[in-house]
């Protein structure tokens, strides 16, 4: 007989031991190390790092190991950890224009200063399972690096801005951007807040939203003006020094989309910029983010906003996967008190419904 | 396993199995019988991602025979990465002869362009199509769009055209400008520049359109009437960069704009690399 659960302590203990056992898998095989994950599951680690909003690949790899490869659970672990860290200061804005790009492509020009650099990409691989990977082999050779390295890579959107065809961004108002990890978001949200939320938002959610704008739900006509992946320096300016110093490098993916804007009474027809920036290498998300960023401009551009991706509250309040998974999965918690009152309610309504039907039938018979 | 040669370890000739090819060929025949009408088909997962040309690849795989000569272009050029990749794919799984010369190809798979050189009878041009539904920006729901096609009700598209002209003096679509096929169906020509639209009209070659992700095939048989959507007093006007090609000097070909420096320098070259080569030789 199933008895109402008491002795939760013992059950939780046993569940945790079982979980640890499942995580380890077959003990006859060597245990995977966080270091191996960091080096060989790089894109999974990058995703966890971005959505966990904690730019440390070692910690992200550890989280991934602990979560048995569950990316959202791993992001959750990282978020919980980062909240415990003291904050010293905010970094200077990253200069992605000075990026050491490993990959830089533009879909809008066949060739351009700085060139098209494919870099390490799946884009033109044929998706045929490579069974040789099932066996362990020697490390593949790396193509020799260009002795000259990559030259300067001016931003593609700069060419369009120079010609006046790209809508100018609002100038820097000198104000510190809001921090959604410290203050609750308020609506209507500013663009810095929006971009912050999107950068840590769930890749799958943004992917679906971005895709919907391409299929008529939001009317985007996007072009990838530029996509670049590489390392940027992180600078901080300690107040006691009075000048900026470098504290290291991080890998980021930046995407700038050019999208048509029909113009208005005040502004001529032009391109507008959707912007995506994601820590680590994650082109799918950077592109989806740029699409959603542009869709969310509908209000300020005076465009008709009818699609989900154009609805700021809808997008920003549902893009965080730690929040979303928490609320969806909380349905697994006991709800029997509410459910009991629901049962009583339903029985009461049903009794009335039955009684009314009987009365109606009697009336019809008479 | 008839003519199906085992080309690339374990895969059938041209990758798809024969039953799938037959299903796709039926859809092609139906498409040719009802010009411009979208035929749903059971698109397969391909080893290249959606958006890279899975629809076009499935069409090409279904019509390719061992004696065909294949040309693949993207943005008009044979040397663009995606064209190289798809060409390599068919060399690997079908072992067919490939060419960059428009005149020599029996099957040409293309993304975003129609070759400058007039195609001839016997040639097949396979288009990669991202969004087969010409009304999707006006009516994203497929059930409703299908009803509008059935009724031949294209007032939404005409109205959009009218609004564009009223607002900015010309139509808003510079590429993927919708066409009426055989006076009956409104059709997306795929994102080719408006400059290429007139080449669809009474084309000697068979035009096949494949959308893998959206699972639709449509077709235009040779010599079919294809008109760009317009108004009598505002006829369709294709756009062309005024500058001549920096390589071959051609003034009437479609050009790529290449940024030569970050001080506003621009060079214009033919987008159709084979056409440019012919002009230079």
């Amino acid at each position: 007989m199933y008895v109402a659960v008491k002795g939760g302590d013992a059950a939780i203990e046993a569940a945790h031991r079982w979980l640890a056992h499942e995580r380890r898998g077959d003990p006859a095989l060597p245990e995977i190390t966080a270091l191996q994950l960091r080096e060989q599951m790089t894109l999974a680690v990058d995703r966890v790092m971005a959505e966990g909003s904690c730019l440390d690949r070692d910690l992200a790899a550890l989280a991934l190991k602990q979560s048995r490869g569950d990316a959202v659970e791993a992001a959750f672990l990282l978020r919980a950890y980062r909240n415990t860290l003291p904050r010293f200061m905010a970094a200077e804005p990253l200069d992605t224009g000075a990026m050491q790009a490993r990959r830089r492509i533009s879909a809008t020009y066949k060739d351009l200063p700085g060139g098209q650099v494919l870099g390490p990409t799946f884009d033109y691989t044929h998706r045929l399972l490579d069974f040789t990977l099932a066996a362990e082999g020697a490390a593949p050779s790396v193509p020799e690096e260009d002795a000259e390295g990559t030259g300067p890579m001016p931003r593609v959107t700069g060419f369009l801005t120079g010609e006046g065809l790209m809508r100018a961004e609002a100038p820097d108002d000198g104000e510190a951007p809001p921090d959604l990890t410290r203050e609750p978001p308020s609506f209507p949200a500013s663009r810095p807040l929006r971009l912050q939320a999107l950068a840590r938002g769930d890749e799958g959610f943004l992917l679906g939203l971005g895709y919907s704008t391409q299929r008529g739900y939001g009317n985007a006509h996007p072009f990838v003006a530029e996509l670049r992946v590489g390392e940027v320096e992180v600078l901080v300016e300690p107040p006691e020094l009075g000048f900026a110093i470098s504290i290291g490098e991080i890998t980021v993916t930046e995407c700038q989309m050019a999208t048509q804007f029909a113009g208005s009474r005040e502004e001529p027809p032009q391109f507008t910029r959707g912007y995506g920036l994601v820590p680590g290498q994650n082109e799918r998300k950077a592109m989806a983010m740029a699409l959603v960023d542009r869709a969310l401009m509908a209000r300020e551009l005076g465009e008709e906003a009818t699609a989900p991706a154009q609805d700021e509250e809808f997008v920003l309040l549902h893009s965080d996967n730690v929040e979303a998974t928490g609320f969806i999965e909380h349905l697994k918690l006991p709800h029997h008190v509410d459910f009991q009152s629901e049962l009583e309610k339903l029985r009461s309504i049903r009794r009335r419904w039955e009684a009314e039907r009987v009365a109606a039938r009697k009336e019809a018979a008479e | 396993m008839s003519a199906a040669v085992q080309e690339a370890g374990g895969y059938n000739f041209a990758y798809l199995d024969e039953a799938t090819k037959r299903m796709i060929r039926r859809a092609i025949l139906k498409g040719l019988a009802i010009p411009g009408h979208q035929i749903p088909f059971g698109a397969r997962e391909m080893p290249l991602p959606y958006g890279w040309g899975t629809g076009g690849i499935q069409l090409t795989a279904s019509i390719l025979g061992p004696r065909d000569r294949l040309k693949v272009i993207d943005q008009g050029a044979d040397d663009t990465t995606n064209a190289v990749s798809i060409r390599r794919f068919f060399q690997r799984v079908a072992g067919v002869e490939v060419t960059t010369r428009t005149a020599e190809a029996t099957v040409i798979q293309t993304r975003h362009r129609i070759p400058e050189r007039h195609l001839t009878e016997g040639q097949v041009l396979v288009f990669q199509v991202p969004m087969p539904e010409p009304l999707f920006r006006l009516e994203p729901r497929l059930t409703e769009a299908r009803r509008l096609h059935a009724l031949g009700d294209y007032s939404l598209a005409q109205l959009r055209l009218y609004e564009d002209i009223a607002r900015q003096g010309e139509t808003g679509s510079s590429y993927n400008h919708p066409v009426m096929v055989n006076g009956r169906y409104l059709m997306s020509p795929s994102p080719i520049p408006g400059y290429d639209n007139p080449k669809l009209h009474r084309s000697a070659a068979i035009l096949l359109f494949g959308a893998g992700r959206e699972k639709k095939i449509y077709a235009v048989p040779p010599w079919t009437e294809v008109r760009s959507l317009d108004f009598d007093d505002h006829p369709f006007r294709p756009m062309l960069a005024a500058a001549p090609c920096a390589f071959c000097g051609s003034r009437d070909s479609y050009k790529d704009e290449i940024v030569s420096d970050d001080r506003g320098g621009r060079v214009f070259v033919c987008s159709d690399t084979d056409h440019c080569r012919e002009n230079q030789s």
Side-chain angles (χ1 to χ4, degrees):
Chain A
M1 182 179 142
Y2 178 81
V3 182
V5 182
K6 298 274 179 201
D9 271 356
I12 286 176
E13 278 296 315
H16 289 178
R17 275 202 308 279
W18 199 345
L19 177 67
H21 179 81
E22 290 284 304
R23 181 188 60 68
R24 177 61 182 84
D26 184 352
L29 296 172
E31 179 165 0
I32 197 163
T33 66
L35 218 55
Q36 285 171 335
L37 288 174
R38 190 194 73 188
E39 291 302 309
Q40 295 173 45
M41 292 284 128
T42 41
L43 299 182
V45 168
D46 280 356
R47 181 178 173 188
V48 168
M49 179 177 80
E51 290 170 21
S53 305
C54 184
L55 310 190
D56 186 315
R57 305 193 75 251
D58 286 295
L59 291 177
L62 172 62
L64 205 55
K65 174 175 171 172
Q66 186 178 334
S67 69
R68 304 171 63 193
D70 180 335
V72 177
E73 179 68 24
F76 185 14
L77 287 167
L78 267 193
R79 291 262 188 104
Y81 175 76
R82 90 190 276 283
N83 279 331
T84 65
L85 300 175
R87 292 197 174 197
F88 302 112
M89 61 190 79
E92 299 291 299
L94 298 179
D95 181 4
T96 52
M99 175 188 288
Q100 290 292 312
R102 272 181 283 151
R103 172 157 162 74
R104 185 268 203 139
I105 51 163
S106 169
T108 51
Y109 295 102
K110 185 170 187 177
D111 200 7
L112 66 167
Q116 306 266 17
V117 182
L118 271 189
T121 174
F122 292 121
D123 282 358
Y124 301 102
T125 61
H126 299 153
R127 271 40 168 224
L128 304 168
L129 274 176
D130 179 1
F131 292 103
T132 59
L133 284 180
E136 285 157 46
S141 66
V142 182
E144 267 179 54
E145 229 172 289
D146 199 340
E148 298 159 32
T150 55
M153 288 179 173
R155 282 206 186 84
V156 172
T157 43
F159 308 147
L160 292 168
T161 315
E163 213 179 319
L165 290 177
M166 174 69 85
R167 187 170 185 262
E169 299 300 334
D172 187 359
D173 57 8
E175 259 182 62
D179 181 349
L180 65 76
T181 68
R182 288 295 185 266
E183 303 135 32
S186 64
F187 297 97
S190 63
R191 192 156 179 225
L193 187 79
R194 271 185 349 222
L195 290 171
Q196 234 174 84
L198 297 177
R200 66 188 339 225
D202 183 70
E203 177 181 322
F205 182 74
L206 296 186
L207 183 68
L209 277 177
Y211 181 42
S212 73
T213 69
Q214 290 180 278
R215 293 194 68 267
Y217 293 83
N219 253 344
H221 299 244
F223 291 96
V224 173
E226 188 179 296
L227 181 68
R228 48 169 78 188
V229 183
E231 282 64 49
V232 287
E233 236 180 358
V234 180
L235 301 172
V236 293
E237 189 179 323
E240 64 272 27
L241 274 185
F243 55 87
I245 53 169
S246 169
I247 55 167
E249 275 183 351
I250 57 168
T251 304
V252 296
T253 306
E254 182 187 59
C255 175
Q256 305 213 38
M257 294 256 192
T259 296
Q260 275 173 39
F261 167 49
S264 64
R265 210 175 289 271
E266 290 78 30
E267 292 184 89
Q270 56 196 314
F271 287 116
T272 47
R273 180 190 336 234
Y275 186 76
L277 183 81
V278 183
Q281 179 170 6
N282 193 339
E283 297 170 21
R284 182 186 303 125
K285 177 159 168 193
M287 293 173 73
M289 176 174 167
L291 288 175
V292 176
D293 173 49
R294 173 58 185 84
L296 288 175
M297 283 179 207
R299 185 170 36 86
E300 62 182 274
L301 292 175
E303 294 170 333
E304 199 184 3
T306 49
Q310 296 168 315
D311 185 328
E312 186 176 82
E313 285 196 43
F314 179 81
V315 173
L316 298 194
L317 293 179
H318 302 112
S319 58
D320 190 297
N321 56 23
V322 177
E323 289 173 8
T325 199
F327 201 53
I328 283 194
E329 295 204 48
H330 105 284
L331 295 172
K332 293 182 287 191
L333 296 181
H335 279 80
H336 47 255
V337 171
D338 326 17
F339 189 68
Q340 186 60 38
S341 64
E342 218 29 39
L343 273 178
E344 297 303 342
K345 186 63 151 180
L346 186 58
R347 287 183 184 127
S348 155
I349 297 172
R350 282 278 289 261
R351 273 196 297 275
R352 188 169 306 115
W353 186 81
E354 297 283 358
E356 277 168 11
R357 258 175 38 124
V358 170
R361 229 178 284 143
K362 214 183 272 174
E363 209 169 287
E366 278 167 8
Chain B
M1 201 173 31
S2 62
V5 205
Q6 290 287 321
E7 292 287 348
Y11 293 103
N12 192 22
F13 174 79
Y15 184 78
L16 292 175
D17 61 278
E18 294 302 311
T20 298
K21 287 185 192 175
R22 189 163 59 220
M23 175 271 293
I24 293 174
R25 287 173 194 148
R26 281 182 178 148
I28 293 172
L29 290 175
K30 195 168 168 187
L32 286 166
I34 318 172
H37 178 57
Q38 300 167 53
I39 314 296
F41 81 111
R44 303 290 196 253
E45 301 274 352
M46 298 301 284
L48 280 82
Y50 287 126
W52 263 237
T54 53
I57 293 169
Q58 289 180 77
L59 285 175
T60 300
S62 303
I63 61 171
L64 217 52
R67 283 186 303 279
D68 270 309
R69 206 175 295 118
L70 177 69
K71 172 180 166 81
V72 184
I73 51 175
D74 189 328
Q75 315 296 303
D78 300 90
D79 61 352
T80 37
T81 40
N82 198 35
V84 171
S85 170
I86 292 172
R87 187 164 57 241
R88 275 194 194 161
F89 175 72
F90 281 114
Q91 280 176 296
R92 185 168 171 184
V93 297
V96 290
E97 206 184 318
V98 295
T99 180
T100 59
R101 299 187 178 214
T102 305
E104 292 175 2
T106 55
V107 177
I108 303 173
Q109 182 169 329
T110 180
R111 180 169 167 264
H112 295 191
R113 271 316 306 273
I114 297 176
E116 304 286 359
R117 171 186 257 280
H118 276 288
L119 299 178
T120 55
E121 277 192 41
Q123 289 186 301
V124 183
L125 186 58
V126 176
F127 292 80
Q128 303 174 195
V129 181
M131 291 300 287
E133 178 48 68
L135 297 171
F136 86 96
R137 290 192 194 283
L138 307 164
E139 176 47 70
R141 277 179 183 74
L142 297 178
T143 41
E144 183 57 20
R146 201 169 58 203
R147 204 179 63 87
L148 295 175
H149 280 295
L151 297 171
D153 179 354
Y154 299 125
S155 49
L156 277 176
Q158 294 282 6
L159 196 62
R160 161 57 58 91
L161 209 59
Y162 170 78
E163 283 178 352
D164 285 345
I165 292 169
R167 211 174 283 149
Q168 58 194 32
E170 55 186 275
T171 66
S173 49
S174 48
Y175 60 93
N176 208 349
H177 186 89
V179 292
M180 281 300 289
V181 180
N182 204 27
R184 174 61 183 87
Y185 283 103
L186 190 72
M187 182 187 95
S188 158
S190 88
I192 55 174
Y195 169 81
D196 281 343
N197 273 22
K199 296 181 198 155
L200 298 163
H201 182 55
R202 302 209 173 130
S203 160
I206 296 176
L207 310 177
L208 300 180
F209 297 80
R213 183 178 41 77
E214 299 282 334
K215 304 177 176 57
K216 296 277 168 53
I217 285 171
Y218 51 100
V220 176
W223 311 113
T224 305
E225 187 164 296
V226 180
R227 299 281 183 198
S228 298
L229 200 68
D230 64 359
F231 291 110
D232 293 343
D233 56 345
H234 275 279
F236 177 75
R237 198 166 54 90
M239 306 288 272
L240 194 62
C245 171
F247 295 148
C248 74
S250 168
R251 285 191 175 273
D252 56 0
S253 69
Y254 193 79
K255 310 294 187 313
D256 290 335
E257 182 171 336
I258 290 177
V259 182
S260 50
D261 55 51
D262 54 358
R263 297 177 303 279
R266 300 284 193 279
V267 175
F268 291 84
V269 298
C270 287
S271 121
D272 184 335
T273 45
D274 184 53
H275 178 73
C276 196
R277 177 196 59 78
E278 274 192 334
N279 283 347
Q280 290 177 66
S281 60

